[in-house]
Amino acid sequence: MKRANISNNVIRRMPRYLRKLDDLAYQGIDRISSGELGRQLGLTPSQIRQDFSCFGEFGQQGYGYNVQKLREEISSILGMKHGFSLILIGVGNLGHALVNNFGFENHGFHLEAAFDVDPALVGTDVGGVHVFHSSELLDYLSRNKVDIAVLSVPRRLANNMANSLVEYGIKAIWNFTNIELDLKSDDVLVENIHFSDSLLYLSYYLAARLEEDGEN
Amino acid sequence: MKRANISNNVIRRMPRYLRKLDDLAYQGIDRISSGELGRQLGLTPSQIRQDFSCFGEFGQQGYGYNVQKLREEISSILGMKHGFSLILIGVGNLGHALVNNFGFENHGFHLEAAFDVDPALVGTDVGGVHVFHSSELLDYLSRNKVDIAVLSVPRRLANNMANSLVEYGIKAIWNFTNIELDLKSDDVLVENIHFSDSLLYLSYYLAARLEEDGEN
DNA sequence: TAGATTGTTAATCGATTAACAATC
DNA sequence: TAGATTGTTAATCGATTAACAATC
């Protein structure tokens, strides 16, 4: 699969396409044109065709796209066929929410283990996932291949924990701690979920609307 | 404050500036140039000056920016001075995580109430926030001004709940349900936290790296 | 076949970067 | 004053949109 020089913007849209295609498949729809897809997603047909053409030719003139086939192409582009493995670091409320509600398996991932320091949690199973003591992290990682660490520890511990993970060989971190990780290594992928950035973005437009109304 | 024609990209960067400035203030740093800020954030000085100049003139030639002043300007731009009020819809693990760990007050927001249908939760306080039964929502909203509803109900309930909220007068939704809300009204602001989109974005680059390595 | 719709090339639009006069 | 750094205008770069030949 070709993956050269594809912009972030395109990659950010791919999961949205996937969700929409799942939805269409669920509705029993088996073909769709870029025009109709554009209408449903609020994008131009041009953009959609451009996006797909970064990765190959998935459609057919005069017909459009086969929903099931396109769904599989995109899921493959996004790496879902690799079945990446994850561990969860920090089993607080957010960790529990992720284990219980996110559905890693449904999204093509395998959550293999969890780590925490709380004696009430260590040794138990949470949503089918065993909770180890954080002190067993190094040992665990030396015996198991883990693709992604999900970081949901208290923020004051976040940066040290992240650097330990990197030291132990982790190459990708899904960061929920709402701080900017400062890592010693730079070949580690980090994807942040910054709740506050998201809420403030919403807040900006609320404020803008208020001030607009006030002025008129 | 001028807010005309400012691109999403700029707005998305503002909360990051704010976080960095908080950080700098915490470190006791009281002035910074666009050059240094750019180094620390991985942006060009030009971009930073362009971004700020969308909203006003916050710096001083030969000096740079006063951290505290800039921090306040940006927090005002993002609407934090309004002290927007929120209610939480759905007090599961994720809801608990938000109440207990997010720190709405620290970010300038007021979480006023929570709603759920679980009899074990209704009537209790969670992190200082009272949990009402969801059936009291309409009544509550008719008596209280609420700016934002935080939606963290199970996904099968999400769309109906969102439309009820809109019907009851809610104008902004912070959506954690990982589905695309299909709302009847179009003057409602929706900001999504799509966990799966974020994880798949990470997954893409992991896969890309694997395939690159495989080819060499 | 005629109509529909793709993939791709070219045109446009917008965002980022560079340059620099103004000035602290 | 000399050096630093802004705010802004102009230049560049990249992303989106439009157009259309190819073809199902």
Side-chain angles (χ1 to χ4, degrees):
Chain A
M1 183 189 312
K2 51 171 178 167
R3 288 186 191 269
N5 291 337
I6 298 167
S7 85
N8 284 350
N9 291 0
V10 175
I11 312 300
R12 287 271 174 215
R13 282 191 291 269
M14 298 309 278
R16 254 191 98 205
Y17 293 137
L18 186 65
R19 257 189 300 121
K20 172 52 80 178
L21 290 164
D22 279 339
D23 201 45
L24 292 169
Y26 180 76
Q27 291 173 55
I29 294 165
D30 60 1
R31 73 182 251 205
I32 193 158
S33 66
S34 58
E36 181 53 26
L37 204 49
R39 220 160 296 126
Q40 296 193 23
L41 289 167
L43 304 172
T44 64
S46 281
Q47 180 165 60
I48 290 172
R49 294 203 300 278
Q50 283 277 22
D51 283 354
F52 295 165
S53 76
C54 293
F55 302 101
E57 309 188 359
F58 306 139
Q60 205 167 73
Q61 284 101 327
Y63 171 89
Y65 301 88
N66 176 284
V67 169
Q68 202 51 50
K69 175 172 180 294
L70 185 58
R71 203 214 148 278
E72 251 140 57
E73 292 287 359
I74 294 182
S75 100
S76 166
I77 289 163
L78 291 171
M80 290 178 68
K81 65 163 182 247
H82 291 290
F84 289 125
S85 60
L86 302 94
I87 55 173
L88 174 66
I89 316 294
V91 192
N93 291 130
L94 183 59
H96 274 90
L98 288 168
V99 176
N100 291 321
N101 310 333
F102 178 66
F104 286 94
E105 299 288 334
N106 296 341
H107 289 94
F109 297 91
H110 305 299
L111 181 60
E112 311 275 17
F115 295 84
D116 205 300
V117 293
D118 182 349
L121 284 168
V122 172
T124 67
D125 276 24
V126 173
V129 176
H130 190 74
V131 183
F132 296 90
H133 193 278
S134 299
S135 61
E136 299 179 69
L137 204 40
L138 175 55
D139 183 57
Y140 183 92
L141 287 172
S142 68
R143 286 183 292 102
N144 297 274
K145 179 181 155 299
V146 174
D147 299 302
I148 303 170
V150 185
L151 193 63
S152 69
V153 299
R155 51 188 297 152
R156 72 182 179 288
L157 307 175
N159 210 69
N160 282 343
M161 179 53 88
N163 272 302
S164 297
L165 287 164
V166 170
E167 202 183 304
Y168 301 164
I170 284 285
K171 293 283 184 239
I173 295 177
W174 196 22
N175 175 37
F176 284 82
T177 65
N178 210 33
I179 68 162
E180 212 79 9
L181 298 178
D182 179 19
L183 299 180
K184 274 148 200 159
S185 163
D186 57 357
D187 74 332
V188 178
L189 295 169
V190 177
E191 165 70 4
N192 300 295
I193 300 246
H194 283 317
F195 288 173
S196 69
D197 289 21
S198 169
L199 183 54
L200 287 170
Y201 179 80
L202 185 60
S203 177
Y204 172 85
Y205 288 102
L206 267 180
R209 202 153 60 177
L210 276 186
E211 286 164 27
E212 233 171 75
D213 292 352
E215 278 161 23
N216 301 342
Chain B
M1 182 191 310
K2 52 172 179 168
R3 289 186 190 269
N5 292 337
I6 298 167
S7 84
N8 284 350
N9 291 0
V10 174
I11 311 301
R12 288 271 176 215
R13 282 190 292 270
M14 298 311 280
R16 254 192 97 205
Y17 294 136
L18 186 65
R19 259 190 298 121
K20 171 52 80 178
L21 290 164
D22 279 340
D23 202 44
L24 292 169
Y26 181 76
Q27 290 174 56
I29 294 164
D30 60 3
R31 71 182 251 204
I32 193 157
S33 66
S34 59
E36 181 53 25
L37 204 47
R39 220 162 294 124
Q40 297 193 24
L41 289 168
L43 304 171
T44 63
S46 280
Q47 180 164 60
I48 290 173
R49 294 204 299 279
Q50 283 277 22
D51 283 355
F52 294 166
S53 75
C54 293
F55 302 101
E57 309 189 359
F58 306 140
Q60 203 165 73
Q61 283 103 326
Y63 171 89
Y65 300 88
N66 176 283
V67 169
Q68 202 50 52
K69 176 174 179 295
L70 185 57
R71 203 215 148 277
E72 251 140 58
E73 292 287 358
I74 294 182
S75 99
S76 165
I77 289 163
L78 290 171
M80 290 176 69
K81 65 163 181 247
H82 291 290
F84 289 126
S85 60
L86 302 94
I87 54 172
L88 174 66
I89 315 294
V91 192
N93 291 130
L94 182 59
H96 274 91
L98 288 169
V99 175
N100 291 321
N101 310 333
F102 177 65
F104 286 94
E105 298 289 333
N106 296 341
H107 289 94
F109 297 91
H110 305 300
L111 182 59
E112 310 276 18
F115 295 83
D116 205 300
V117 293
D118 182 350
L121 284 168
V122 173
T124 67
D125 276 24
V126 173
V129 176
H130 190 74
V131 182
F132 296 89
H133 193 279
S134 299
S135 60
E136 299 179 71
L137 202 41
L138 175 56
D139 183 56
Y140 183 92
L141 287 172
S142 67
R143 285 183 291 103
N144 296 276
K145 181 180 152 300
V146 174
D147 298 303
I148 303 171
V150 185
L151 193 62
S152 70
V153 298
R155 50 188 298 152
R156 71 182 180 288
L157 308 176
N159 210 69
N160 282 344
M161 180 52 89
N163 272 302
S164 295
L165 287 164
V166 170
E167 200 182 307
Y168 301 164
I170 283 287
K171 293 285 184 234
I173 296 177
W174 196 21
N175 174 37
F176 284 82
T177 65
N178 210 34
I179 69 162
E180 212 80 11
L181 298 178
D182 181 19
L183 299 180
K184 275 148 200 159
S185 165
D186 57 358
D187 74 333
V188 178
L189 294 169
V190 177
E191 166 70 3
N192 299 296
I193 299 243
H194 283 314
F195 288 173
S196 69
D197 289 20
S198 170
L199 183 54
L200 287 170
Y201 179 81
L202 185 60
S203 177
Y204 172 86
Y205 288 102
L206 268 179
R209 201 153 61 178
L210 275 186
E211 285 163 30
E212 235 169 72
D213 293 351
E215 278 160 25
N216 300 342

